């Protein structure tokens, strides 16, 4: 069989594993964020409360534990990254505990589907709920933000102009790195629309534009040949790759299209400039003037998590992690479509806790996404870019005043229209009588959120930069609860969470 036939056979075999549909025009019967119709709020035991000593702290602490008297606001930029959880799963499956510095609890929480209502158009809905814990006056409060369904307007999206910046350094020769990227891009090429365009930039010790911006219509074979020709070479000059990638994206910029740079790398930069701020400063004009955002796809057992995460944050984009063919299918068939179109730019959230009813609170995670409270309505301050089909969840540990009754919190999200840059806001309220009596009686999705947050907390213990979330169950207890919730939700991702927690327990 010739190379063309081999390539087609490989693409067909990989395609058979997909859930059906087309990338960008539908890859399955619903996105990963849709709630299951089989969710039932029963069968799960209550969770322990935060420890009694977990109370006051100054507003200067990184973990944002604070008395609400001097400051009752919590403000952060929205983040839909999931790479931290994906990389932790890969590391644990390889029999090692992840470095605590790579654990970002919000990315664990945001890796699981939620049950929030969704808006009809651009922007967000705001859902605020919570549950009391066994410890008197302590509750967990969930703030949920959701964009419209990804499959509701797929046929109406503008064409996409995607510049793939692919790491071909020596470290990418490890199985599950460059080979996985090539397979995934091959399938994606067969599924893109005819009016979409693709460019390919590679980098090792230097960067090269392998394929300029090229329409899919009539050129798929040429794109396949460019993908098949990639081979690992020398060192990793990631800065050169990003800079050349953005230059290629600007040169091939399509008016009326959604222009994106997709970086595929293990992010083990060892050549050229390795500082993410300096790298992004070099392409800042292209990013701001043309609105070209960065979507980072991490690969490899040894992965530069901190560099990729910082690049995505500074590049107004998102990051995820791929460890196998299933992950790759989800990224290129589900997550990438959600990051092609935008429903909100510079989105920020602010939660105002009522000092009459709340004494203390703590936002779990978002440590690198905090925004000064006074900058919430300053639209010059960067927020997060969010596409259709996404949910964003923020979990708080909240202590209420004894006998508190009435209003607890107001959560507000502010964003700019992706086309006109007009600012909009939406809010949601939480009253004390809306709290579930216990976490065990709360909605299954709130319980999954709690399990994911407690698991992340357990994995990042030992990192002195963070104060641990108090009152956490043992890992064996968390795994049993995840199993119960997997039965209730019939969600395979929750079952995988239970398995991953048990892998962590075996390494204790």
């Amino acid at each position: 069989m010739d190379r063309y036939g081999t390539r087609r056979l490989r693409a067909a075999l990989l395609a058979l594993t997909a859930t059906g549909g087309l990338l960008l025009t539908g890859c399955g019967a619903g996105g990963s964020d849709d709630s299951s119709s089989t969710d039932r709020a029963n069968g799960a035991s209550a969770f322990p409360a935060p420890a009694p000593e977990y109370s006051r702290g100054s507003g200067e602490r990184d973990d944002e534990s604070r008395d609400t008297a001097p400051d009752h606001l919590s403000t952060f930029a929205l983040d839909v990254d999931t790479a931290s959880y994906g990389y932790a799963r890969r590391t644990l499956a390889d029999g090692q505990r992840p470095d605590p510095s790579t654990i970002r609890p919000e990315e664990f929480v945001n890796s699981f589907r939620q049950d929030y209502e969704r808006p009809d158009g651009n922007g967000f809905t705001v859902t605020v709920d919570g549950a009391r814990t066994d410890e008197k006056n302590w509750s967990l409060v969930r703030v949920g933000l959701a964009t419209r369904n990804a499959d509701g307007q797929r046929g109406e999206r503008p064409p996409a102009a995607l510049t793939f910046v692919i790491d071909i350094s020596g470290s990418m020769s490890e199985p599950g790195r460059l080979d996985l990227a090539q397979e995934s891009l091959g399938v994606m090429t067969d599924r893109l629309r005819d009016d979409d365009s693709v460019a390919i930039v590679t980098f090792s010790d230097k960067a090269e534009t392998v394929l300029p911006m090229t329409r899919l219509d009539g050129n798929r074979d040429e794109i396949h040949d460019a993908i098949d020709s990639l081979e690992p070479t020398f060192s990793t000059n990631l800065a050169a790759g990003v800079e050349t990638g953005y230059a290629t994206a600007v040169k091939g910029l399509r008016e009326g299209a959604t222009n994106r740079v997709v970086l595929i790398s293990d992010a083990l930069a060892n050549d050229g400039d390795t500082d993410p701020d300096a790298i992004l400063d070099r392409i800042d004009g292209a990013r701001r003037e043309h609105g070209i955002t960065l979507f980072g796809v991490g690969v490899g057992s040894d992965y530069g998590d901190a560099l990729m995460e910082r690049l995505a944050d500074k590049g107004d984009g998102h990051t995820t992690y791929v460890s196998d063919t299933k992950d790759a299918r989800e990224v290129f068939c589900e997550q990438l479509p959600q990051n092609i179109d935008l429903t909100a730019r510079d989105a920020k959230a602010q939660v105002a806790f009522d000092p009459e009813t709340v004494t203390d609170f703590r936002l779990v995670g978002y440590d690198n996404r905090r925004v000064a409270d006074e900058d919430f309505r300053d639209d010059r301050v960067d927020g997060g870019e969010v596409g259709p089909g996404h949910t964003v969840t923020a979990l708080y540990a909240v202590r209420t005043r004894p006998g508190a009754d009435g209003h607890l919190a107001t959560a507000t999200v502010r964003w700019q229209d992706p086309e006109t840059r007009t600012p909009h806001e939406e809010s949601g309220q939480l009253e004390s009588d809306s709290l579930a009596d216990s976490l065990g009686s709360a909605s299954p999705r709130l319980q999954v959120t709690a399990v994911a947050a407690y698991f992340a907390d357990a994995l990042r213990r030992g990192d002195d930069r963070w104060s641990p979330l108090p009152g956490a169950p043992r890992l064996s207890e968390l795994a049993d609860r995840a199993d119960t919730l997997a039965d209730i939700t019939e969600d395979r991702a929750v079952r995988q969470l239970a398995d991953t927690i048990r892998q962590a327990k075996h390494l204790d």
Side-chain angles (χ1 to χ4, degrees):
M1 183 179 293
D2 61 16
R3 184 165 65 89
Y4 179 85
T6 301
R7 183 187 67 224
R8 290 297 186 191
L9 176 59
R10 183 189 66 195
L13 289 173
L14 186 61
L16 287 174
T17 66
T19 58
L22 301 178
L23 177 67
L24 304 181
T25 59
C27 290
S32 61
D33 289 322
D34 294 335
S35 60
S36 170
S37 60
T38 59
D39 283 6
R40 301 180 304 276
N42 55 40
S45 59
F47 289 70
E53 67 270 20
Y54 176 71
S55 56
R56 302 191 188 280
S58 74
E60 300 302 316
R61 284 178 54 181
D62 285 339
D63 63 8
E64 199 170 330
S65 171
R66 60 183 63 172
D67 187 338
T68 60
D71 186 354
H72 63 282
L73 299 175
S74 170
T75 309
F76 59 96
L78 267 56
D79 187 0
V80 296
D81 292 353
T82 60
S84 178
Y85 176 64
Y87 184 47
R89 281 185 57 208
R90 166 68 182 266
T91 305
L92 289 165
D94 288 345
Q96 301 178 27
R97 287 186 70 94
D99 187 322
S101 67
T102 69
I103 303 302
R104 294 181 291 277
E106 71 277 12
E107 297 185 22
F108 279 55
V109 166
N110 284 322
S111 294
F112 298 92
R113 68 179 65 166
Q114 295 289 358
D115 51 5
Y116 312 136
E117 292 185 6
R118 294 184 179 273
D120 294 329
N122 286 345
F124 298 87
T125 56
V126 182
T127 301
V128 192
D129 60 4
R132 303 182 189 277
T133 68
D134 293 338
E135 184 66 34
K136 186 177 181 181
N137 299 325
W138 278 100
S139 299
L140 288 183
V141 170
R142 179 180 65 160
V143 175
L145 311 173
T147 58
R148 60 173 168 81
N149 283 319
D151 40 4
Q153 299 181 23
R154 279 175 179 163
E156 302 174 19
R157 73 162 177 85
L162 307 176
T163 300
F164 289 92
V165 180
I166 304 172
D167 187 346
I168 59 167
S169 61
S171 61
M172 291 291 286
S173 63
E174 174 191 298
R177 297 193 187 196
L178 182 57
D179 59 337
L180 183 60
Q182 287 176 292
E183 286 186 328
S184 304
L185 291 173
V187 172
M188 185 207 66
T189 297
D190 289 331
R191 296 180 175 181
L192 283 169
R193 295 188 338 199
D194 285 346
D195 61 346
D196 293 327
S197 301
V198 168
I200 297 176
V201 171
T202 61
F203 67 94
S204 54
D205 57 331
K206 61 182 180 179
E208 177 186 2
T209 299
V210 175
L211 183 77
M213 194 63 71
T214 303
R215 293 285 182 105
L216 270 293
D217 187 18
N219 298 303
R220 295 179 195 272
D221 289 344
E222 179 184 357
I223 297 169
H224 276 296
D225 287 340
I227 294 169
D228 288 345
S229 70
L230 304 181
E231 294 181 355
T233 55
F234 306 109
S235 55
T236 309
N237 191 337
L238 193 147
V242 172
E243 186 171 14
T244 303
Y246 269 83
T248 301
V250 170
K251 186 174 182 179
L253 193 76
R254 290 179 58 186
E255 294 297 330
T258 303
N259 297 270
R260 295 284 179 269
V261 169
V262 182
L263 173 63
I264 305 172
S265 175
D266 58 16
L268 300 176
N270 56 19
D271 195 358
D273 202 334
T274 61
D275 178 68
D277 292 341
I279 293 171
L280 267 298
D281 283 345
R282 292 158 72 174
I283 52 88
D284 192 62
R287 179 175 64 89
R288 291 183 177 275
E289 181 180 352
H290 302 293
I292 301 173
T293 59
L294 181 67
F295 180 42
V297 181
V299 295
S301 58
D302 191 12
Y303 168 54
D305 170 80
L307 178 57
M308 184 71 90
E309 192 258 349
R310 185 66 177 150
L311 283 171
D313 283 351
K314 291 285 288 184
D316 291 337
H318 318 296
T319 182
T320 190
Y321 178 82
V322 165
S323 62
D324 54 30
T325 300
K326 178 179 178 297
D327 286 347
R329 184 182 71 241
E330 290 178 353
V331 166
F332 290 98
C333 191
E334 296 178 10
Q335 294 184 28
L336 184 55
Q338 293 175 13
N339 288 281
I340 292 297
D341 199 6
L342 283 181
T343 61
R345 285 190 180 274
D346 287 322
K348 292 171 279 192
Q350 185 169 84
V351 182
F353 291 95
D354 193 329
E356 296 297 319
T357 54
V358 174
T359 64
D360 306 276
F361 63 86
R362 177 187 175 186
L363 172 60
V364 180
Y366 293 92
D367 305 290
N368 297 329
R369 304 294 285 166
R370 302 295 165 82
V371 174
D373 296 335
E374 61 271 20
D375 289 338
F376 177 60
R377 291 187 172 89
D378 185 344
D379 296 324
R380 298 168 299 178
V381 175
D382 281 346
E385 274 58 43
V386 184
H390 280 300
T391 61
V392 179
T393 299
L395 189 68
Y396 288 87
V398 176
R399 186 171 70 170
T400 55
R401 298 187 184 278
D405 185 26
H407 181 252
L408 296 178
T410 299
T412 303
V413 59
R414 181 180 177 89
W415 73 95
Q416 296 178 44
D417 182 273
E419 299 297 331
T420 67
R421 297 284 185 162
T422 303
H424 301 275
E425 291 188 6
E426 190 70 37
S427 295
Q429 311 284 333
L430 179 65
E431 304 294 318
S432 60
D433 58 7
S434 298
L435 294 171
D437 290 337
S438 68
L439 274 166
S441 64
S443 75
R445 293 296 169 185
L446 174 54
Q447 295 182 56
V448 171
T449 297
V451 170
Y454 276 130
F455 181 42
D457 179 65
L459 291 178
R460 74 174 184 176
R461 287 176 194 163
D463 188 334
D464 293 335
R465 293 179 301 165
W466 320 117
S467 297
L469 184 66
R474 293 180 306 230
L475 287 175
S476 58
E477 195 176 352
L478 275 180
D480 290 344
R481 289 171 183 170
D483 271 330
T484 300
L485 290 166
D487 291 338
I488 293 171
T489 61
E490 299 182 2
D491 187 342
R492 182 166 51 186
V494 181
R495 185 75 67 196
Q496 291 173 339
L497 173 61
D499 295 340
T500 302
I501 295 172
R502 287 196 172 89
Q503 289 171 338
K505 181 183 182 301
H506 292 154
L507 295 174
D508 277 352

